[in-house]
Amino acid sequence: MNGARRIAVTGLGAVTPLGSGREEVWANLLGGRLGFAPVESFDTKAFSVHLGAEVRGFSPAPYVRRLDPRWLGRASQLAIAAARQALADAGIGELGGGNELEPELAGVAMGTTSGEPLEVERFDDRYLAGELDAVGDEFMTLYPCHMIAVHVARELGFAGVNTMIPTACAAGNYALAHAVDVLRAGRAELMLAGGADAFSRITYTGFARLGAIAPERCQPFDRHRKGMIPGEGAAVLVLEPLDAARRRGARIYAEVAGYGLSCDAHHMTAAHPEGEGAVRAMARALADAAVEPHEVSYISAHGTGTPTNDRLEAIAVERVFGAGTRVPISSVKSMLGHTMGAASAIEAAVCALAVATDQIPPTMGLEEPEGDLDYVPNAARRHRVEVAMNNAYAFGGNNASTIFRKCEA
Amino acid sequence: MTGRRRVVVTGSGVVSPLGDTPAALHRALAAGTSGRKPIELFATAGIGCHEAGEVRPFDPQSYVGDRNLRPLDRTSRLLVVAAQLALADSGWGGREARAGAGPQAAPAARPAVPATPAAPATLAVPAVPANPAVPAVPAATATLAASATPAVPAASAVPAADIGLVLGTTFCSVRTIAEFDRRGLRLGPTHASPLDFANSVINAAAGQAAIWHGLRGVNSTLAAGEASGLQAIAQAVELVRTGRADAVLAGGAEELCFESFFGYHRAGRLCGSRRPDGAAAAGPNAGAVGRAGVGSGGGAALAALAAIDERPVPFDARRNGFSLAEGAALLMLEEAAAAAARGAAVRAEVLGWGAAFAAAGGEAALAGALARAVELALADAATAPREIGCLSASASGSLEVDRAEALGVAAALGERAAALPVTAIKAMLGEGLGVSGAWQAVDLIETIRDGELPGIAGLERLAPGLPLGGASVATRRLAPAERRRALITAVGADGHCAAMVLGAPPEAP
């Protein structure tokens, strides 16, 4: 976008099945560790699959300081934790207290698939038990998905634009795109953008019914891949205008150079057979960022590990980057599982870190690659990353690609 | 803001308890008709509240033809119909027409409003025939918004399939989600419905509407409480301004269902949920205060007031909650030059918008956030307070939110607020959550067209200290100057505030 404000990523926070905080998560991803284990959130004996990617041992206590964690859903707690981490990572303290940033110019954009699914599950349990009399005001206080962004903003005192973008498994990228628009338009000077989801029996049941859950391993882009593994988590990126970030001497991971959105308008749960919408999202993102395909040095794939997604994504990537392209492409879902609304936010943070550190996390579990793309199999790689692209696709045919570019000091 | 791409409204589609065309809705609102009726969608025995703004009868096939509706839940059906109506009203025609001969020219002006009462909701626009060469709509329906204008190929910069959709919603379908879950619990996970699971995502309705109508442009869903619909329109405005889209449908959709109705009742938010003695009709935890939000206290204030039964009365001293409603509404937003190039009629221009959030609880914080949203909208629209001719307020009868809204508007508009003509259409329609802001926009465009600003049904006694003297029970005819620039506000109980300035089309009085 000519003349548009340039937007910098200056802080990263994440709570994931592979640990908490930028450093721990990044080290585990580069180390190829796996975040899968038998599900503990609920009994899976009625299912034929049992693996999940849950966040274990999470305590909201260090992060939820103003609000009462008893009155927050799990996704809100995870989101607040990631947001607090991201602000600390960016070197931004409490707004107002000596900080020159005005709360009114600080906004929140969060993505999600299910919002606070545990709250509707609790409602359903009471419904089936004939105990609806036990329902109080907590259902409507905790459940609506917008409460994730509301809780982050209340906890941190952010009084600018507040938006929840529930575009399912691409929601993190959508939230990031929205935050970029808000900043470019000068409607905020600081945005927290990310995604959050809580591990949910509803989600697990649904993907199990679709036959999409892998029984043992998540192997994106492998010929023998058997599916995805549902997960949970949250990630938040601190975004601010590049010039302001430079003025305050902030560490800049990357610039958000552009984004592209599209809709397949084809099928609710299946991607377009030629990856048509994915191609348009990537092409629009490249145009928005004024980047040529050959300038892209890394693609963070949507890469769920389902047979269909990975095949169509590979087709779409080849249509944009050319058959035989050697651009490295990897899927951290091979390690984190599919953290739903948090996934593309985590992967956006991965892109920012790849750009900042010139390292690419691997696609694990890859034994027999399908096709000829460079999937960065089974080991992280040192590689100069000037430009990274983050792909995300969702139910409803919602496609989103974002682009991160190295910022010269 | 010279050089900025201008965004115009070239049509709209609406499904509501009070009509399925903008004109019919507007007539009902101006007549003070209530959309409340006994709920038939689910049993209300034992709940304590029994009425809501149900869309009834609702026969989607009477609008969209006999294509298979089974994959669509109620929210998606409401939205698919609203999209059909908005595409037709703005001259884009049906899916086949857009894929074929290019966009139709829109009617030069909205067809004259028939003198007879509104047609029943089931007698609306039939499906557009497959052959784009055939005039789209039989002459018998010529009085409806989708007029019988024959297809006129017109130059347009917009590939028709690249129309976008930005939807505001609170729940999409909490009923679909809950029923999917309960079926899995009752019968085992292998009996859960994959079809329901596809609709359990909160972007399902927007995705279904995109599939139904072939909308391949930007497609997004946005949740910001009761401000969702207006923030969705605002986001679409940004997409057009920044050149990411030339034509975007934007608005909201929400269904009425047991889960949300019961939930709001137990939270003490509905106008029949709280007894006049201030106690919540619901369980011991309902209406509890102490959360970080606006809270749902106010029992003491309520205790002093006379009961007004189950009616929502915005801004009134006796208000005691909102009435839930369902429906869908979409505006067709287009870049002004592209709209002109295809010969589209312009109903209004979006001059500017603003949004803010109340990060702290309480009335003052909410009022302050709305004041900021209004000030940002005025600045974005390069409009002074004295140029605002009328206001469509968000007020719903909510005990906590209505006064904050009035105080916020007054803080932003200064002395203009005291005599500003104000409507609050939720008095008649009820609280449509995600769709509310879009309903307000659709109706305010009708006000810009015909000069009638609906009164606030039931309003007898303004709440003490409420600074909007122009809020009145009577429908009023606006002076020409009061129809040039109009303000919409949307306020959510959880802190979301949005405001938008609409302008009359250039050729209007």
Side-chain angles (χ1 to χ4, degrees), chain B residues 275-277 301-309 316-320 461:
Chain B
R275 292 194 294 268
D277 63 2
L302 193 62
L305 306 172
I308 48 173
D309 305 319
D316 197 286
R318 304 160 304 151
R319 73 195 184 279
N320 67 350
R461 186 151 46 101

Side-chain angles (χ1 to χ4, degrees), chain A residues 2-352:
Chain A
N2 271 347
R5 277 176 128 185
R6 296 173 66 185
I7 310 303
V9 181
T10 58
L12 302 172
V15 182
T16 79
L18 281 174
S20 179
R22 168 179 59 81
E23 291 183 11
E24 184 180 15
V25 174
W26 188 231
N28 284 334
L29 290 174
L30 292 177
R33 297 188 57 182
L34 306 183
F36 313 124
V39 172
E40 290 183 355
S41 302
F42 50 87
D43 190 345
T44 60
K45 71 172 183 294
F47 294 82
S48 61
V49 287
H50 308 284
L51 281 186
E54 294 166 293
V55 173
R56 297 278 166 82
F58 170 75
S59 166
Y63 306 106
V64 182
R65 299 170 200 164
R66 284 190 199 175
L67 304 181
D68 182 344
R70 291 172 301 172
W71 292 107
L72 299 175
R74 180 168 172 86
S76 291
Q77 295 181 3
L78 295 169
I80 287 172
R84 285 262 187 213
Q85 290 174 0
L87 279 177
D89 191 48
I92 297 171
E94 295 284 329
L95 298 190
N99 193 315
E100 63 184 48
L101 189 73
E102 296 172 43
E104 290 78 13
L105 294 175
V108 178
M110 292 293 289
T112 191
T113 296
S114 304
E116 296 286 8
L118 304 186
E119 304 309 321
V120 75
E121 290 176 9
R122 174 159 61 175
F123 176 87
D124 290 337
D125 289 337
R126 286 170 166 165
Y127 183 104
L128 291 177
E131 294 171 354
L132 282 178
D133 276 352
V135 176
D137 71 341
E138 77 290 337
F139 184 33
M140 284 303 116
T141 305
L142 301 184
Y143 171 66
C145 74
H146 66 256
M147 294 311 294
I148 297 173
V150 163
H151 286 142
V152 169
R154 284 180 184 166
E155 171 69 26
L156 298 167
F158 276 39
V161 175
N162 189 284
T163 310
M164 201 70 208
I165 307 198
T167 46
C169 302
N173 255 357
Y174 274 81
L176 192 69
H178 179 65
V180 165
D181 277 352
V182 169
L183 288 165
R184 280 181 175 174
R187 291 178 180 273
E189 296 300 320
L190 178 73
M191 287 295 291
L192 294 178
D197 254 296
F199 203 84
S200 152
R201 73 175 179 227
I202 295 174
T203 306
Y204 203 83
T205 300
F207 282 110
R209 268 303 266 140
L210 294 176
I213 300 181
E216 293 169 1
R217 297 197 291 166
C218 183
Q219 298 176 277
F221 303 111
D222 191 279
R223 282 182 196 287
H224 305 295
R225 65 187 180 276
K226 292 190 170 59
M228 43 85 83
I229 294 181
E232 66 175 344
V236 170
L237 290 79
V238 174
L239 304 182
E240 54 189 310
L242 180 60
D243 53 359
R246 283 185 166 145
R247 268 200 308 277
R248 74 176 184 90
R251 171 185 47 201
I252 296 164
Y253 290 101
E255 174 188 0
V256 187
Y259 74 86
L261 310 178
S262 75
C263 185
D264 283 357
H266 169 70
H267 190 274
M268 278 303 286
T269 56
H272 187 277
E274 281 97 44
E276 188 275 332
V279 167
R280 278 186 296 123
M282 283 188 268
R284 285 176 182 172
L286 290 167
D288 188 35
V291 165
E292 296 292 325
H294 73 266
E295 297 177 275
V296 175
S297 21
Y298 169 58
I299 299 171
S300 172
H302 186 58
T304 57
T306 63
T308 311
N309 175 81
D310 296 1
R311 183 170 54 79
L312 297 179
E313 186 171 5
I315 290 172
V317 165
E318 290 200 313
R319 283 181 62 187
V320 173
F321 291 87
T325 176
R326 298 314 297 161
V327 59
I329 172 171
S330 72
S331 168
V332 296
K333 290 191 179 78
S334 63
M335 299 171 275
L336 288 166
H338 191 340
T339 56
M340 302 292 141
S344 56
I346 294 173
E347 290 149 15
V350 163
C351 284

Side-chain angles (χ1 to χ4, degrees), chain B residues 191-374:
Chain B
H191 289 81
S193 157
L195 200 63
D196 283 353
F197 182 56
N199 288 326
S200 77
V201 290
I202 303 167
N203 59 330
Q208 293 281 18
I211 293 167
W212 192 280
H213 295 292
L215 308 173
R216 303 188 316 151
V218 172
N219 185 286
S220 192
T221 300
L222 181 154
E226 294 89 328
S228 300
L230 202 59
Q231 282 197 208
I233 295 169
Q235 192 185 359
V237 166
E238 290 304 292
L239 292 170
V240 175
R241 280 180 175 175
T242 56
R244 291 183 183 276
D246 285 336
V248 184
L249 289 167
E254 211 79 62
E255 70 173 344
L256 181 69
C257 67
F258 170 74
E259 285 75 14
S260 57
F261 186 82
F262 184 76
Y264 282 118
H265 169 61
R266 299 295 285 190
R269 301 273 305 278
L270 302 183
C271 49
S273 302
R274 283 188 273 207
R275 292 194 294 268
D277 63 2
N285 201 24
V289 291
R291 311 295 155 71
V294 172
S296 47
L302 193 62
L305 306 172
I308 48 173
D309 305 319
E310 283 194 30
R311 276 185 306 149
V313 190
F315 293 135
D316 197 286
R318 304 160 304 151
R319 73 195 184 279
N320 67 350
F322 61 76
S323 173
L324 212 53
E326 67 172 353
L330 294 170
L331 305 182
M332 174 60 83
L333 300 171
E334 296 188 57
E335 194 275 322
R342 73 177 184 92
V346 173
R347 324 284 193 192
E349 179 172 359
V350 181
L351 297 173
W353 65 275
F357 179 72
E363 184 178 88
L366 193 57
L370 181 64
R372 277 190 286 124
V374 172

